Amino acid sequence: MARKAVQKISKNRVEVLSKLESEKYDLLVIGGGITGVGIALDAQTRGLKTALVEMQDFASGSSSRSTKLIHGGLRYLKQFEFGLVNRIGRERAIVHHIAPHLVHPDKMLLPLVKGGNFGKWLTSIGLALYDWLAGVRKSERRRMLSFKGAIKAEPLLNRDKLEGAGYYAEYRTDDSRLVIGIAKTAMEHGARLVNYVRATEFLNLNGKVSGIKVLDEISGKEFFIHAKKIVNACGPWVDEIRAIDGSLSGKKLHLTKGVHIVVDKKKLPLKQTVYFDNDDKRMLFAIPRGKFVYLGTTDTHYKGDIANPLAEKSDVEYILKACNSMFPSAHLQIRDVQSAWAGLRPLIHEEGKTLSEISRKDEIFISESGLITIAGGKLTGYRLMAEKVVNLLAKKMERNLEPCLTENLQITGGEFDNYQSVQLFVDEILSRYSSIIPNRLDAEYLVYNYGRDTEFIAQKAVNMELEPDLAIAISELEYSIDNEMVARGVDFFERRTGRINFGIQSITKIRSEVMAHMATRLNWSSDRLQQENSLLNASLKKVNIYGIE
Ligand code: FAD
């Protein structure tokens, strides 16, 4: 299936800003993480004229700081949340089907260790139940591996404590790219989405919310946006928005922090993803991604600045210790950590439950002013959450909307018949553009980020008289300015291309040209360029906590 021309409608930030000021909407969504963009796409495609404002860049909150798995949540079986596993488990295949370039099948190895969380029989039954609840195809269902089989699958496992392993199916994604993909799709269907616009106050008409006052964080301009209904999809910030609405009572959020670290794959040459027990019985993931492996996560109470959770040294040391215990030959040390990120789980507080026992279920609150808040949930279940919210809106608005379309609505760039055709497209890109894309990992990087739109990026890059890495980066930048509303340097390096977390050392080589090109394209003054460079330095410092060169 060929991709039509890249559509340019409604993706220019300045144009979208002027529309937001002059138009009136059926629905205004606050928050541009996975929950908000999912709702915007569902609502717009079912006939509601929709707008969305995001105070930072799209996906800057929890939706770029997750474990990046589209998973059913094996551990929810332990909490007997069969309904959740059933719904979310089935959802994995749907999200893979609509975005096969972004959501990849990935087999998980669950080592069975002496004194660990899972015995052989319980694991075998648990994984079979997990597959059954999620409707996993027969050929993909779990297998139980002997000690030898487990070592064959992953030779780095600790042989002293290993007894065997479970082997089962999940999916892997890039959370920020998934958010950007859904946002682009919503824009292409006519929704108005904008980043760096903060909701600061509510407008009320006869006691009901009828719009918001907003602040453009880049120009400093304030203006109003009018809408019949408003949804608060602010993840860890939902209670702040409820407070502005004067409706913060009853159930509240309980934020917990999760940290991940990234190391070079040469330091931990894993063959495959492992979901393993730590000695304290918490479970961690070790996930290979391109030239890197990332590991996590922690789970601790959080009370600090919501916008800036940090990977503390103690968090990093905890993960390293767990990793060295499961993969002892790696001898990972703090200096091997290339990058780290911390995210906040926006959970709904439940009295008397431990952090890992608190449910990941989503919940909707409706305030007296009519503000609809959606809290909790997971990346994986975004589409179902969106459908639920839009069904509720239809009821409240007494509107007969189209049925939900998103189960079969391709995310832009994902126009492939199946996963095999994604792989064939990678081969095709590699053979057609070998002068600038020298190896398969580089071709995969592009196709997994941009899907069919890789063609536009590679085509442009091949005609540039630049060194290949720089040509690709400048071409990606051009694409992301035209199609993905990249507004700041850090948007490009962090959430559009993932280089800050997966390839921090590659930034130095291309940084000054990329920033200069961006300044020209976006008409930045020299002061603005300086400000952007400082913001980028701060982000680099935040992830590269130990000053790795
Ligand atoms: P966010 O992504 O935080 O989005 C809310 C947005 O609202 C933010 O971008 C913020 O800037 C914006 N906002 C706030 N206030 C305003 C305002 N006044 N005006 C405008 N905008 C505003 N889920 C999975 O399915 N798989 C996983 O592997 C997984 N792993 C996880 C690991 C960790 C460590 C964490 C923390 C979470 C994980 N999750 C996972 C859960 C998942 O990441 C979250 O449930 C999801 O990203 C929440 O998305 P959201 O859109 O609700 O919130």
Side-chain angles (χ1 to χ4, degrees):
M1 224 184 295
R3 172 108 168 93
K4 283 181 264 149
V6 181
Q7 300 195 32
K8 293 213 168 163
I9 46 160
S10 326
K11 289 179 188 158
N12 179 290
R13 190 171 179 275
V14 179
E15 276 170 36
V16 175
L17 284 171
S18 92
K19 296 281 183 200
L20 287 173
E21 210 174 340
S22 60
E23 293 178 342
K24 192 166 179 213
Y25 297 93
D26 293 323
L27 171 65
L28 173 68
V29 181
I30 311 175
I34 191 89
T35 310
V37 299
I39 294 169
L41 177 62
D42 192 308
Q44 182 72 28
T45 51
R46 289 168 76 178
L48 293 180
K49 189 171 175 189
T50 303
L52 178 148
V53 293
E54 162 56 53
M55 70 175 176
Q56 309 177 80
D57 184 25
F58 302 118
S60 286
S62 304
S63 301
S64 57
R65 297 147 185 244
S66 77
T67 309
K68 309 181 193 303
L69 292 174
I70 296 297
H71 65 156
L74 186 58
R75 63 195 199 81
Y76 309 134
L77 269 190
K78 266 183 100 180
Q79 295 155 5
F80 305 108
E81 296 212 46
F82 298 123
L84 184 65
V85 176
N86 174 266
R87 281 192 311 281
I88 300 294
R90 283 172 193 272
E91 198 54 21
R92 297 176 305 177
I94 296 174
V95 187
H96 167 65
H97 165 70
I98 58 177
H101 60 309
L102 287 167
V103 179
H104 309 274
D106 194 11
K107 281 280 159 69
M108 304 271 149
L109 190 71
L110 177 70
L112 304 175
V113 293
K114 289 171 196 146
N117 276 311
F118 303 105
K120 188 173 169 196
W121 293 111
L122 204 61
T123 305
S124 176
I125 295 166
L127 289 178
L129 178 63
Y130 188 59
D131 283 348
W132 179 73
L133 284 170
V136 172
R137 274 200 312 224
K138 212 170 170 185
S139 58
E140 295 291 306
R141 289 191 196 147
R142 70 98 175 86
R143 282 192 292 131
M144 296 306 293
L145 305 180
S146 63
F147 172 88
K148 263 189 171 169
I151 287 293
K152 195 169 168 212
E154 184 41 74
L156 296 185
L157 290 173
N158 186 339
R159 292 165 193 238
D160 291 342
K161 50 180 176 179
L162 188 70
E163 294 187 322
Y167 195 58
Y168 67 104
E170 291 283 15
Y171 293 85
R172 199 169 28 87
T173 191
D174 179 314
D175 44 10
S176 350
R177 290 297 316 170
L178 186 62
V179 172
I180 303 294
I182 299 167
K184 278 197 287 188
T185 314
M187 292 189 220
E188 286 173 7
H189 281 87
R192 310 273 187 218
L193 278 71
V194 74
N195 50 7
Y196 295 104
V197 170
R198 178 192 295 266
T200 54
E201 281 173 38
F202 284 101
L203 308 178
N204 285 280
L205 193 65
N206 305 324
K208 297 287 171 197
V209 285
S210 61
I212 53 173
K213 185 175 179 188
V214 294
L215 169 70
D216 178 347
E217 293 280 356
I218 291 184
S219 69
K221 181 179 166 180
E222 290 188 307
F223 61 98
F224 298 99
I225 306 175
H226 299 274
K228 292 180 191 148
K229 290 283 170 201
I230 301 183
V231 169
N232 166 14
C234 287
W237 290 265
V238 290
D239 283 354
E240 289 192 357
I241 298 292
R242 290 166 78 203
I244 298 176
D245 176 52
S247 60
L248 183 56
S249 59
K251 287 191 181 178
K252 296 199 179 95
L253 281 191
H254 185 145
L255 301 182
T256 78
K257 186 178 82 166
V259 169
H260 291 84
I261 61 170
V262 181
V263 297
D264 196 307
K265 203 169 173 188
K266 288 188 199 123
K267 294 276 176 189
L268 182 64
L270 283 188
K271 275 170 76 178
Q272 76 133 72
T273 299
V274 183
Y275 182 38
F276 63 97
D277 286 80
N278 189 16
D279 300 336
D280 65 1
K281 301 234 167 169
R282 285 202 62 259
M283 299 293 296
L284 281 92
F285 287 98
I287 306 177
R289 173 172 152 158
K291 297 168 191 162
F292 305 92
V293 172
Y294 65 101
L295 297 132
T297 172
T298 56
D299 197 1
T300 49
H301 292 284
Y302 189 75
K303 288 263 180 245
D305 175 7
I306 301 180
N308 283 301
L310 288 177
E312 308 285 348
K313 196 170 178 198
S314 56
D315 298 317
V316 174
E317 282 170 345
Y318 172 86
I319 299 172
L320 287 173
K321 191 164 172 240
C323 174
N324 286 331
S325 173
M326 185 45 78
F327 310 108
S329 60
H331 301 297
L332 284 187
Q333 299 185 28
I334 211 146
R335 64 166 181 266
D336 297 320
V337 177
Q338 295 220 349
S339 165
W341 69 86
L344 299 178
R345 298 177 187 85
L347 309 178
I348 299 161
H349 183 71
E350 289 178 71
E351 213 47 60
K353 292 213 171 168
T354 65
L355 293 187
S356 54
E357 281 169 356
I358 299 179
S359 172
R360 269 56 176 166
K361 267 189 270 187
D362 55 276
E363 228 172 289
I364 293 178
F365 311 123
I366 307 170
S367 80
E368 267 179 35
S369 71
L371 175 70
I372 295 173
T373 293
I374 175 134
K378 287 179 67 65
L379 201 64
T380 311
Y382 82 90
R383 206 191 58 80
L384 293 172
M385 288 162 73
E387 181 178 1
K388 194 156 83 176
V389 169
V390 179
N391 286 346
L392 175 71
L393 284 164
K395 222 161 142 190
K396 294 263 167 217
M397 297 168 94
E398 298 179 2
R399 290 225 358 214
N400 229 345
L401 297 182
E402 297 284 332
C404 174
L405 294 173
T406 53
E407 184 168 345
N408 290 306
L409 187 75
Q410 223 67 38
I411 299 302
T412 192
E415 299 81 1
F416 296 96
D417 292 332
N418 50 41
Y419 195 58
Q420 203 189 357
S421 45
V422 176
Q423 297 308 318
L424 289 174
F425 187 61
V426 173
D427 295 336
E428 209 182 305
I429 289 290
L430 190 58
S431 75
R432 294 222 317 272
Y433 298 102
S434 57
S435 61
I436 47 160
I437 304 172
N439 62 56
R440 200 166 204 282
L441 276 185
D442 294 325
E444 277 177 359
Y445 159 79
L446 289 169
V447 174
Y448 294 175
N449 271 7
Y450 306 102
R452 289 278 179 200
D453 288 358
T454 301
E455 188 74 55
F456 301 107
I457 293 167
Q459 186 68 55
K460 200 170 230 176
V462 90
N463 293 322
M464 288 178 188
E465 284 179 6
L466 293 172
E467 189 264 323
D469 283 355
L470 185 59
I472 292 285
I474 297 286
S475 187
E476 283 182 277
L477 177 65
E478 287 278 335
Y479 176 85
S480 61
I481 289 174
D482 291 339
N483 299 283
E484 302 187 338
M485 212 178 271
V486 73
R488 293 198 178 281
V490 69
D491 303 343
F492 178 74
F493 287 110
E494 192 162 346
R495 286 163 297 274
R496 301 302 180 286
T497 68
R499 281 181 172 88
I500 280 191
N501 288 126
F502 300 96
I504 196 162
Q505 283 148 324
S506 70
I507 294 178
T508 321
K509 224 169 99 184
I510 54 173
R511 174 183 173 154
S512 58
E513 280 90 346
V514 166
M515 293 300 278
H517 195 84
M518 204 166 178
T520 311
R521 273 294 314 268
L522 297 178
N523 291 323
W524 288 348
S525 63
S526 55
D527 280 356
R528 171 79 191 268
L529 178 57
Q530 205 177 356
Q531 186 201 358
E532 292 295 330
N533 271 315
S534 306
L535 286 171
L536 182 55
N537 288 341
S539 281
L540 288 167
K541 203 165 159 203
K542 194 164 116 187
V543 299
N544 184 6
I545 36 183
Y546 303 106
I548 292 137
E549 292 296 306

